Amino acid sequence: MVNERLNSANPSFDLKYRRKKNAEEMKHQVITFAMMIFFTLIAFAAVGFDFSKWFIKPVILLLAVVQVIFQLYYFMHMKHKGHNTIALFLFSGLAVGLLTVLTFLTIVWW
Amino acid sequence: MQMDQKFTDTTWPAAPEKATLEGKNKYLGFWLFLGGETVLFASLFATYLALKDKVPNADAALAKDIFDLPLTFVATMLLLTSSLTSVYAMYHMKNHDFKRMQAWLVVTVLLGAGFLGLEIYEFNHYVHEFHHTFTSSAFGSAFYTLVGFHGAHVAFGLLWITSLMLRNAGRGLNLYNAPKFYVASLYWHFIDVVWVFIFTVVYLMGMVG
């Protein structure tokens, strides 16, 4: 099955190659993580330094969106091939969710 | 391919989580569930945003009075780091290194437990210092429902990962449990995704006013 297709005639060579690929991917994950921490620091610093709220709010929301894209595409591997159905599930959920947020923000009042 | 077949480092497939039909189905089904979870949390966010600072009288605490920047920062760092440690666990899973995978999962669970402990402290603090309870205002109900639901997800994730580790401790890695570990780590990342929006929308935007 999948295993037989992936492994070549020389298993030890194959193993070395796969290990190297896994290690490379792990390195990218650590870089992604460092960037996520960096964005979080900027978001908290922006609030700590007390800038205008019209500046802070859009900036921290944008940083949150970028961080979530990192999580989904790198940590949760959505950047890999064969994630079309998965993307359909997630983005359908997101579309319904964002519509709910928009509706509640515009029609609920006190 | 037998589910409980013993593997060596060389025979272990490159994508063990999707090497069996059951694994493939689990993976797809889990993302469908995550799509549903997205809708669930978005509804709770919508409710919170609509009811933020809606309190019955002028003495009641508002968002900008109760939130604490350092505490939120530490909690965020704990949960973000636990996301990376679960990536490390899956890295070792793909390399067929059961011991290292278990070790990183232990670190993940400890960081998650630290986060949960801080949240319990935080809620306790709000209730006793600010009389900000579930029933004190619409703001309180919306806040505790949203953040509490996330906290409950963290608690469930901790139980889930711990049970997987204990149940499979004597088995080692095979194609039966690899998808289980993988899906649990996806769930853990999703909890982190939700927290990114909670710390931004609830805490940071709450403190800005």
Side-chain angles (χ1 to χ4, degrees):
Chain A
M1 282 181 35
V2 178
N3 198 18
E4 287 144 24
R5 258 193 286 122
L6 282 167
N7 294 350
S8 64
N10 185 344
S12 61
F13 175 78
D14 210 51
L15 180 69
K16 239 167 114 186
Y17 172 72
R18 271 169 45 196
R19 288 265 152 112
K20 199 173 138 233
K21 274 198 82 170
N22 285 348
E24 258 169 32
E25 193 179 344
M26 195 59 232
K27 209 169 86 189
H28 290 148
Q29 305 277 32
V30 175
I31 294 168
T32 308
F33 175 73
M35 283 168 79
M36 278 164 44
I37 293 288
F38 180 63
F39 289 152
T40 308
L41 286 173
I42 295 179
F44 275 85
V47 174
F49 282 125
D50 223 20
F51 293 119
S52 148
K53 68 176 177 184
W54 298 108
F55 170 73
I56 297 177
K57 284 187 179 181
V59 170
I60 61 177
L61 273 177
L62 186 70
L63 288 174
V65 169
V66 175
Q67 266 210 56
V68 163
I69 291 171
F70 277 167
Q71 282 271 355
L72 291 170
Y73 281 84
Y74 285 84
F75 282 11
M76 294 167 86
H77 308 288
M78 269 177 71
K79 73 183 169 74
H80 289 313
K81 273 189 196 134
H83 279 71
N84 296 331
T85 318
I86 280 163
L88 175 73
F89 290 162
L90 188 80
F91 289 118
S92 311
L94 209 58
V96 174
L98 288 176
L99 206 60
T100 313
V101 173
L102 184 70
T103 314
F104 275 45
L105 281 176
T106 45
I107 67 164
V108 176
W109 68 91
W110 212 252
Chain B
M1 202 180 316
Q2 287 289 315
M3 289 274 243
D4 55 354
Q5 183 191 335
K6 288 273 177 242
F7 286 91
T8 66
D9 288 3
T10 39
T11 57
W12 187 239
E17 74 279 6
K18 281 177 278 190
T20 60
L21 182 62
E22 187 179 329
K24 273 194 196 105
N25 289 340
K26 218 168 238 168
Y27 187 72
L28 197 64
F30 195 76
W31 275 94
L32 181 60
F33 166 72
L34 288 185
E37 288 271 287
T38 308
V39 177
L40 170 84
F41 274 105
S43 318
L44 295 178
F45 270 108
T47 312
Y48 174 81
L49 286 168
L51 298 177
K52 178 179 173 254
D53 289 347
K54 301 290 189 268
V55 290
N57 55 58
D59 302 330
L62 300 178
K64 62 176 168 35
D65 305 321
I66 60 173
F67 297 146
D68 179 47
L69 198 61
L71 184 79
T72 312
F73 181 73
V74 175
T76 303
M77 285 299 140
L78 285 177
L79 208 62
L80 277 183
T81 311
S82 81
S83 209
L84 178 75
T85 57
S86 78
V87 172
Y88 266 110
M90 289 310 106
Y91 166 64
H92 290 300
M93 189 270 276
K94 289 197 169 173
N95 280 345
H96 198 246
D97 190 338
F98 184 65
K99 282 217 174 79
R100 285 210 173 89
M101 181 194 78
Q102 291 273 71
W104 281 109
L105 286 177
V106 169
V107 178
T108 306
V109 166
L110 288 178
L111 288 167
F115 172 87
L116 203 60
L118 279 184
E119 188 153 276
I120 291 167
Y121 163 79
E122 181 199 346
F123 283 7
N124 184 51
H125 181 74
Y126 293 160
V127 168
H128 291 101
E129 289 290 311
F130 300 102
H131 303 292
H132 176 64
T133 67
F134 195 84
T135 52
S136 65
S137 61
F139 169 47
S141 310
F143 170 80
Y144 286 114
T145 309
L146 171 60
V147 184
F149 231 85
H150 175 266
H153 273 75
V154 173
F156 180 79
L158 292 176
L159 286 176
W160 184 2
I161 297 175
T162 311
S163 345
L164 275 182
M165 284 190 303
L166 294 176
R167 181 66 186 91
N168 295 296
R171 281 178 173 157
L173 272 172
N174 54 36
L175 291 183
Y176 169 69
N177 56 31
K180 290 174 185 278
F181 282 110
Y182 193 84
V183 158
S185 95
L186 279 181
Y187 177 81
W188 197 255
H189 291 310
F190 186 77
I191 288 175
D192 214 62
V193 165
V194 175
W195 180 254
V196 167
F197 280 111
I198 292 185
F199 87 68
T200 303
V201 173
V202 176
Y203 291 91
L204 293 182
M205 284 169 67
M207 275 182 265
V208 172

